[in-house]
Amino acid sequence: MSAAPKTNLAGLTKERIESFFVGLGAKAFHGRNVLKWIHKHGITDFAAMTDVPKALRDTLDTCATIELPHIALAQPARDGTTKWVLQLADGQHIETVHIPDGDRHTICVSSQVGCALNCSFCSTAQQGFNRNLDVAEIIGQVWLATREIGRTPTNVVMMGMGEPLANFDNVVAAMDLMQEDLAYMISKSRVTISTSGVVPALRRLAEVSDVSLAVSLHAPDNALRDQLVPINRKYPLEELIGACREYVARDHRRKVTWEYVMLDGVNDSIAHAKAMIRLLQGVPSKVNLIPFNPFPGTRYRTSPPDTIEAFRQRLRRAGIISITRKTRGDDIDAACGQLVGKVHDRSRRQLDRIPVVAETPR
Ligand code: SAH
């Protein structure tokens, strides 16, 4: 007879770890202390948790574990960005990116192995969908980043591999831990979920979370968006815009960040900019224009800088704050839409040449 599987405490929110401890006949506050050891102090060994009574630690050894992903490969880019290829317990790989910018340390977190949404300009889509990440695998990316950079990240963006709203419960629990005072204590304005527009899930999110919202728009009309972001066929722009408007209406300081990839000759004309201005009328908005990051086999090219600037100026004249997102980490395929989550050929070659960050036992 095999023993019951151990509970991975790294994936439990404050409420869940409290009830787990109460279920063991222990006090809830011991659960909160363990949560702090894991996420505030980076400790994964029960023996090192000095304020947990010895008898309770012995019990934990029999029924609980603290499992986090491992770094298989660390790829530093010339601009200071680092991409970590993480290995999960079942041997799958995902990618996490650290983007330093002065005092700001942004971690770009993955939510799924692969992605099912098949956006035509995204390299993660090529890989297809494999599975959802569990809570420990999502928050584990923040845990590892904290250890590697030696401080708590200032910002987290759910903009890595996968569609976060398609892995709703696990992503919401992990974002709770990012915001939790006993864990990473990152404020709601600095935790951002990015979605391609899973409208029913976005409406549910409004009921349970207050993180910042970014939406992958990429086209100002349904005909073009149907091609670029196929989930638009299910949830067209009218529905998406309505749900976004409601999401930010709860707080008058809030805006939707619209991501818009600039594809040469596809969605980058002044006519597209004007259509976008009409579309976003009355929605508190800011726009991030993302120069397309090419990958092998793609049929798209990035718009010329002048075209991007003209587009941006047209939005600005209409009063829409817009910035052109700096492309970061493109020499290591860590830029938007370049995360493919496997140690591909190029990385394998680099395994020989660049420092591999081995798991350091704590
Ligand atoms: N699935 C979520 C989270 C991914 S966020 C979403 O769609 O929002 C990553 C952002 O980069 C999205 O806006 C995505 O559309 C964009 N992106 C994907 N491929 C890209 C590429 N090759 N170049 C630039 N941006 C890309």
Side-chain angles (χ1 to χ4, degrees):
M1 215 172 70
S2 63
K6 294 182 175 183
T7 300
N8 185 4
L9 303 186
L12 300 188
T13 58
K14 185 176 79 176
E15 290 68 29
R16 296 228 178 101
I17 204 166
E18 282 175 346
S19 37
F20 179 79
F21 274 70
V22 170
L24 293 179
K27 294 276 193 281
F29 78 85
H30 288 309
R32 292 196 292 275
N33 285 345
V34 170
L35 186 89
K36 265 166 58 182
W37 280 114
I38 299 171
H39 296 291
K40 268 218 192 304
H41 306 297
I43 298 292
T44 58
D45 180 3
F46 295 128
M49 302 182 179
T50 46
D51 58 4
V52 180
K54 174 78 172 65
L56 181 53
R57 281 188 263 141
D58 291 344
T59 309
L60 290 174
D61 279 331
T62 65
C63 65
T65 162
I66 299 171
E67 299 288 340
L68 293 146
H70 295 266
I71 296 180
L73 176 69
Q75 286 182 288
R78 281 189 291 273
D79 65 6
T81 301
T82 301
K83 178 170 86 175
W84 294 297
V85 178
L86 307 188
Q87 175 149 2
L88 310 175
D90 62 355
Q92 309 254 21
H93 293 97
I94 53 162
E95 300 184 8
T96 305
V97 183
H98 169 222
I99 307 153
D101 186 9
D103 290 339
R104 181 198 277 250
H105 291 269
T106 303
I107 305 300
C108 180
V109 166
S110 295
S111 56
Q112 298 180 315
V113 184
C115 187
L117 294 189
N118 213 15
C119 297
S120 61
F121 51 87
C122 180
S123 78
T124 303
Q126 319 266 306
Q127 183 191 350
F129 173 69
N130 203 302
R131 68 169 174 87
N132 282 332
L133 298 185
D134 67 23
V135 182
E137 291 166 336
I138 301 170
I139 199 64
Q141 298 171 62
V142 180
W143 186 93
L144 279 170
T146 302
R147 187 188 73 185
E148 294 303 314
I149 68 178
R151 53 159 298 158
T152 309
T154 56
N155 297 66
V156 177
V157 293
M158 297 298 308
M159 295 186 184
M161 297 164 58
E163 166 51 51
L165 287 182
N167 183 12
F168 190 89
D169 292 339
N170 294 343
V171 164
V172 166
M175 294 192 307
D176 282 352
L177 279 166
M178 294 170 200
Q179 295 177 264
E180 169 57 53
D181 286 356
L182 301 177
Y184 301 93
M185 223 169 108
I186 305 173
S187 74
K188 61 181 181 184
S189 60
R190 289 163 180 263
V191 175
T192 301
I193 192 167
S194 178
T195 180
S196 55
V198 190
V199 170
L202 180 55
R203 293 191 185 282
R204 263 177 78 203
L205 185 73
E207 290 163 20
V208 296
S209 181
D210 57 4
V211 297
S212 298
L213 177 64
V215 177
S216 296
L217 186 64
H218 305 319
D221 62 76
N222 283 322
L224 182 56
R225 198 164 188 271
D226 281 352
Q227 292 171 29
L228 299 180
V229 186
I231 197 169
N232 194 72
R233 297 174 202 158
K234 203 159 176 192
Y235 307 114
L237 280 169
E238 310 72 65
E239 287 181 36
L240 176 61
I241 302 282
C244 293
R245 194 196 291 272
E246 283 171 33
Y247 189 91
V248 293
R250 297 173 299 157
D251 178 345
H252 64 88
R253 287 161 304 189
R254 285 253 151 140
K255 290 185 168 61
V256 185
T257 299
W258 302 99
E259 297 160 278
Y260 197 94
V261 62
M262 296 299 283
L263 303 169
D264 187 25
V266 175
N267 65 352
D268 62 350
S269 72
I270 292 299
H272 290 117
K274 288 182 180 164
M276 189 157 155
I277 292 163
R278 284 194 297 276
L279 183 72
L280 301 184
Q281 214 148 43
V283 185
S285 297
K286 54 188 174 192
V287 172
N288 274 357
L289 301 177
I290 314 174
F292 171 64
N293 295 306
F295 51 88
T298 180
R299 60 181 186 276
Y300 297 110
R301 287 182 316 262
T302 189
S303 310
D306 288 355
T307 308
I308 301 179
E309 184 54 17
F311 195 99
R312 191 176 77 88
Q313 289 299 346
R314 188 66 195 81
L315 297 179
R316 284 186 51 152
R317 269 199 285 137
I320 301 178
I321 308 162
S322 20
I323 59 151
T324 303
R325 194 184 279 175
K326 270 190 283 179
T327 295
R328 299 288 305 258
D330 53 337
D331 54 321
I332 52 161
D333 289 350
C336 303
Q338 292 185 315
L339 304 182
V340 290
K342 53 182 191 267
V343 184
H344 44 71
D345 289 348
R346 207 174 121 204
S347 312
R348 271 193 210 291
R349 283 207 307 278
Q350 290 186 350
L351 270 171
D352 304 331
R353 283 193 277 127
I354 65 160
V356 176
V357 179
E359 276 294 287
T360 38
R362 305 194 70 104

